[in-house]
Amino acid sequence: MMGQCGITSSKTVLVFLNLIFWAAAGILCYVGAYVFITYDDYDHFFQDVYTLIPAVIIIAAGALLFLIGLIGCCATVRESHCGLTTFVVVLLLVFMTEVAVVVLGYIYRAKVEDEVNRSIIKVYDEYNGTNSNAQSRAIDYVQRQLQCCGIHNFSDWQHTHWYDKSKNNSVPISCCKTAGCTGSLTHPEDLYQEGCEALVVKKLQEIMMYVIWTALTFAAMQMLGMLCACVVLCRGSRAPTYELLINGGTQA
């Protein structure tokens, strides 16, 4: 009786987890897509495309997780030994990929600062203030989005080629924090005071932490799923033997 109760409880938890896995699949794919979109906005400041590897893996894990939810629900309801075994194996595979995502996330998170430091000066030097210039669009976007100006502060613009050519003692309009601002350095109170380098690094590291925590959270859930599936498998395989022993005892 207790064994049957244990199987029923494990099956209930397992079905519930499979429904969560479907939702988790969507969340994982969303997080992976968010990393791709954000990287596209900041790719001039971070040239290492291998940073996208965790995002690719997490999207693949999301797709597998959706399949796992389908297999798990069908196998649990039907109490299919083969289906539950497949469920555990695929779940273990996804668990391992998420562990890889966590490891890679920490590796690339540590590399962000060095990558940004190497790239940002070059990007600012190539700024020309036109929409046709990719570096100009990237800098204007970052300065408006992160509310920053220059590399360390707005005075960094005085050391750029754009400033030398413009000769108007001003910074780009994207540095302005007030409506009537023209970017003039004679009114520094109208400009963003914080530099962009530290904020870009912080933003990219935050994105990596989103990926890491998402992978860790769902990896923990998958461990619970594997445990419940193993309980159902073990109890299910013992049940026929137990019934034979009872029947044999009754006949005797």
Side-chain angles (χ1 to χ4, degrees), residues 43-65:
D43 62 346
H44 290 284
F45 303 96
F46 197 81
Q47 302 295 322
D48 190 353
V49 293
Y50 292 109
T51 311
L52 294 176
I53 290 176
V56 173
I57 294 174
I58 211 168
I59 289 173
L64 273 174
L65 208 53

Side-chain angles (χ1 to χ4, degrees), residues 7-76:
I7 293 174
T8 304
S9 299
S10 297
K11 283 172 66 177
T12 303
V13 173
L14 201 52
V15 170
F16 179 68
L17 279 174
N18 283 314
L19 295 175
I20 293 177
F21 287 162
W22 278 334
I27 294 170
L28 287 173
C29 290
Y30 171 80
V31 170
Y34 175 70
V35 173
F36 271 99
I37 292 167
T38 308
Y39 178 85
D40 190 53
D41 294 331
Y42 294 89
D43 62 346
H44 290 284
F45 303 96
F46 197 81
Q47 302 295 322
D48 190 353
V49 293
Y50 292 109
T51 311
L52 294 176
I53 290 176
V56 173
I57 294 174
I58 211 168
I59 289 173
L64 273 174
L65 208 53
F66 182 82
L67 181 63
I68 285 170
L70 187 62
I71 294 171
C73 275
C74 294
T76 304

Side-chain angles (χ1 to χ4, degrees), residues 161-250:
H161 297 305
W162 175 83
Y163 182 86
D164 293 337
K165 289 179 181 178
S166 62
K167 296 179 180 178
N168 58 6
N169 194 35
S170 67
V171 296
I173 301 297
S174 56
C175 281
C176 293
K177 62 180 179 181
T178 58
C181 170
T182 60
S184 175
L185 289 173
T186 56
H187 298 286
E189 67 278 3
D190 294 337
L191 308 174
Y192 294 124
Q193 302 298 306
E194 196 168 357
C196 294
E197 182 180 46
L199 293 178
V200 169
V201 169
K202 182 182 176 183
K203 180 70 174 178
L204 291 171
Q205 287 181 336
E206 281 178 355
I207 292 166
M208 281 298 165
M209 284 308 299
Y210 292 151
V211 172
I212 290 167
W213 280 112
T214 302
L216 278 174
T217 302
F218 292 123
M221 287 169 52
Q222 285 156 30
M223 283 186 69
L224 181 59
M226 285 187 285
L227 180 63
C228 289
C230 288
V231 169
V232 174
L233 278 170
C234 292
R235 301 267 188 176
S237 62
R238 288 176 186 174
T241 306
Y242 180 74
E243 286 178 9
L244 280 173
L245 288 171
I246 294 295
N247 292 334
T250 304

